[in-house]
């Protein structure tokens, strides 16, 4: 029998823990068990959820109810109970249960055959490296900033500066929606012209990820339009739309563009310790299974930081070997050039270094910010400290003075 296994944490008295877990396993599958006639029991056996493990952490009592201790348990659910799609899976393993007191869904273990029902990234890390032709360093991505209320010429100036500094991908800010001043189609076509010009001028090709926004049922046509206009990549606020929307876009051969997943809204369900869905599952496993090529998440160092242990778990979920392509980890928020050695030490070569304020806030503007990042990346990969490299590179030196870093 093929199953999916869900790991949970919750709180219970030690005496009631086994019954609590068993009630969930039955409640989310066949309902009752012991009162059923033998014939029904035989027939329903293949649909029954099963508690696979249970641990009680007596040393971790509930903060407000000392009779209860933290518990961790796993339940396997037969795949025959649901259709192979993320909405059905999440409804089975954590639908009504998510409303039932203090319980957090920590992880999901997809068996090999269930995993095959999902596309995973169309390009993945290797595909994105082939597209960008960047193989020997982390990619550098930057974000348009302060562009709301601004027109196309303003956006064009920002794009040109980021590209001239040597950024690999420029992405829209997630809060930039389709609007009369900078319409979706025009952003793509004007952006293309500028990036072709900077390529001819510098020899470095920068790609632009346009924010795919609007009503859910319009997204497919809009993404196809983006493709026909020559868009390089799409940004999607995955957690406001849902994983299945991402998956549908990924599976559409008429779109076939890299998709960057933004974590907007995910804090609403990943942040609390005792309820919700873990960050590694939300921003890692599910985002990869649904098919994002890049997954942005708060880094351990910036202004909306996650714990290092959590970002490690996200990166691991995005890149662990399985039948799906790997998703690029993009530790973000508050990133500046001084953090580059730490980012590479923590996430390795296969990550995307992503910054908004750390690019645009540079004393020499976005060109200087991008140059400082590229200089910091090169120095780190050559085994130099940033201080050593800064003596040769003025943009890096100015960034270190402004934001710190050695
Ligand atoms: C975790 C998402 C980060 C993001 O979207 C963003 O805009 C970051 O901007 P900066 O680099 O913090 O200015």
């Amino acid at each position: 029998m093929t199953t999916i296994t869900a790991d949970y944490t919750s709180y219970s008295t030690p005496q009631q823990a086994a019954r609590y877990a068993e009630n969930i396993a039955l409640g989310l599958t066949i309902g009752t068990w012991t009162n059923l006639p033998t014939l029904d029991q035989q027939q329903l056996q293949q649909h029954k959820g099963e508690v696979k493990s249970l641990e009680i952490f007596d040393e971790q009592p509930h903060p407000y109810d000392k009779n209860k201790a933290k518990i961790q348990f796993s339940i396997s659910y037969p795949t025959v109970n649901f259709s192979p799609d993320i909405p059905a899976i999440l409804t089975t393993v954590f639908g009504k249960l998510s409303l039932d007191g203090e319980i957090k869904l920590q992880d999901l273990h997809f068996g090999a055959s269930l995993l095959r029902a999902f596309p995973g990234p169309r390009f993945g890390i290797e595909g994105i490296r082939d597209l960008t032709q960047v193989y020997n360093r982390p990619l550098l991505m930057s974000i348009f900033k302060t562009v709301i209320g601004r027109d196309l010429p303003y956006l064009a100036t920002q794009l040109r500066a980021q590209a001239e500094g040597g950024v690999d991908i420029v992405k829209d800010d997630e809060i930039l929606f389709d609007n009369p001043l900078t319409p979706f189609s025009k952003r793509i076509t004007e952006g293309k012209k500028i990036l072709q010009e900077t390529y001819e001028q510098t020899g470095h090709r920068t790609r632009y990820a346009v924010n795919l926004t609007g009503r859910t049922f319009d997204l497919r046509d809009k993404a196809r339009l983006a493709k026909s206009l020559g868009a390089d990549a799409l940004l999607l606020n995955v957690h406001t739309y849902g994983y299945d929307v991402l998956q549908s876009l990924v599976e559409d051969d008429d779109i076939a563009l890299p998709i960057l997943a933004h974590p907007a809204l995910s804090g609403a369900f990943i942040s609390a310790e005792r309820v919700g869905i873990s960050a590694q599952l939300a921003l890692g496993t599910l985002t990869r299974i649904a098919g994002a090529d890049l997954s942005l998440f708060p880094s351990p160092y910036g202004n909306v930081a996650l714990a290092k242990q959590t970002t490690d778990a996200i990166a691991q979920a995005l890149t662990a070997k399985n039948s799906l392509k790997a998703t690029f980890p993009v530790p973000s928020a508050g990133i500046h050039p001084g953090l580059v050695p730490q980012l590479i030490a923590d996430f390795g070569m296969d990550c995307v270094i992503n910054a908004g304020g750390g690019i645009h806030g540079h004393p020499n503007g976005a060109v200087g910010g991008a140059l400082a990042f590229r200089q910091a990346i090169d120095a780190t990969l050559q085994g130099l400290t940033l201080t050593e490299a800064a003596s040769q590179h003025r943009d890096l030196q100015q960034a270190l003075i402004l934001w710190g870093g050695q």
Side-chain angles (χ1 to χ4, degrees):
M1 175 169 41
T2 60
T3 59
I4 187 167
T5 302
D7 301 338
Y8 306 92
T9 51
S10 185
Y11 288 82
S12 169
T13 62
Q15 303 77 3
Q16 290 169 327
R19 170 66 59 89
Y20 172 67
E22 184 64 20
N23 281 347
I24 292 172
L26 289 178
L28 293 183
T29 55
I30 57 171
T32 174
W33 181 249
T34 43
N35 298 335
L36 289 175
T38 314
L39 200 61
D40 285 355
Q41 286 197 9
Q42 280 167 0
Q43 194 216 320
L44 290 176
Q45 181 63 39
Q46 61 159 338
H47 296 278
K48 184 173 169 291
E50 199 179 329
V51 179
K52 305 301 279 187
S53 66
L54 169 65
E55 260 187 285
I56 302 169
F57 302 99
D58 291 316
E59 72 290 356
Q60 293 185 53
H62 188 282
Y64 312 120
D65 182 352
K66 302 294 176 211
N67 295 322
K68 291 183 175 175
K70 183 171 178 176
I71 62 171
Q72 183 173 309
F73 57 100
S74 300
I75 295 176
S76 68
Y77 299 90
T79 54
V80 70
N81 288 4
F82 50 82
S83 49
D85 55 77
I86 295 176
I89 290 171
L90 288 180
T91 304
T92 297
V93 306
F94 206 48
K96 211 163 84 183
L97 180 59
S98 69
L99 298 158
D100 197 6
E102 289 186 326
I103 181 161
K104 187 155 184 171
L105 178 62
Q106 296 290 353
D107 211 353
L108 283 174
H109 306 280
F110 289 67
S113 61
L114 181 58
L115 201 58
R116 278 195 290 276
F118 294 92
R122 185 179 272 268
F123 297 89
I125 293 179
E126 282 183 24
I128 297 290
R129 286 203 179 282
D130 287 343
L131 278 177
T132 55
Q133 294 285 296
V134 175
Y135 293 101
N136 52 3
R137 60 171 171 81
L139 269 67
L140 177 61
M141 182 156 82
S142 62
I143 312 160
F144 282 108
K145 285 286 165 183
T146 62
V147 288
I148 288 185
R150 304 293 193 151
D151 57 12
L152 273 172
Y154 182 92
L155 216 71
T157 307
Q158 262 204 21
L159 181 61
R160 191 182 296 280
Q162 293 167 88
E164 282 176 359
V167 165
D168 301 305
I169 303 171
V170 178
K171 75 162 196 66
D172 272 339
D173 209 357
E174 78 282 2
I175 53 172
L176 184 67
F177 303 100
D178 214 348
N179 70 93
L181 285 173
T182 51
F184 181 75
S185 300
K186 282 276 180 213
R187 295 208 300 275
I188 297 168
T189 50
E190 292 301 305
K192 263 195 100 53
K193 274 189 222 153
I194 286 156
L195 295 181
Q196 181 60 27
E197 282 166 22
T198 53
Y199 172 65
E200 285 163 16
Q201 178 194 327
T202 66
H204 180 75
R205 194 175 283 289
T206 301
R207 268 89 185 164
Y208 165 46
V210 65
N211 198 14
L212 180 66
T213 61
R215 300 295 304 276
T216 302
F217 281 17
D218 297 335
L219 292 185
R220 188 181 67 169
D221 285 346
K222 219 166 160 184
R224 287 178 173 181
L225 170 68
K227 171 80 172 183
S228 73
L229 294 173
D232 295 318
L234 303 171
L235 175 73
L236 186 71
N237 289 318
V238 169
H239 306 279
T240 58
Y241 286 107
Y243 298 105
D244 195 59
V245 173
L246 168 62
Q247 183 178 334
S248 298
L249 294 168
V250 171
E251 286 170 333
D252 189 328
D253 291 334
D254 292 331
I255 298 171
L257 287 170
I259 301 187
L260 288 58
H262 194 279
L265 192 72
S266 65
F269 45 89
I270 67 171
S271 302
E273 195 192 328
R274 298 193 296 277
V275 292
I277 299 179
S278 75
Q280 85 181 68
L281 182 57
L283 305 176
T285 307
L286 291 173
T287 299
R288 179 182 180 188
I289 282 175
D293 296 290
L294 280 74
S295 175
L296 282 73
F297 54 87
S299 77
Y301 339 102
N303 40 16
V304 288
L306 288 177
K308 169 78 167 50
Q309 197 187 352
T310 304
T311 59
D312 284 352
I314 296 170
Q316 168 70 13
L318 293 172
T319 56
K321 273 217 175 330
N322 62 34
S323 59
L324 305 180
K325 290 177 183 161
T327 299
F328 252 124
V330 191
S332 303
I335 301 299
H336 58 77
L339 290 170
V340 165
Q342 191 66 57
L343 279 163
I344 295 180
D346 288 345
F347 296 96
M349 285 269 286
D350 278 339
C351 71
V352 177
I353 293 175
N354 176 37
I359 294 265
H360 299 282
H362 191 280
N364 297 334
V367 180
L371 283 170
F373 267 105
R374 289 291 302 271
Q375 290 156 2
I377 293 169
D378 289 348
T380 305
L381 296 180
Q382 286 165 23
L384 299 172
T385 65
L386 297 187
T387 311
E388 284 164 344
S391 63
Q392 307 296 318
H393 298 292
R394 186 145 167 70
D395 294 292
L396 180 56
Q397 189 183 53
Q398 288 175 300
L400 299 188
I401 291 168
L402 185 61
W403 288 301
Q406 299 166 349

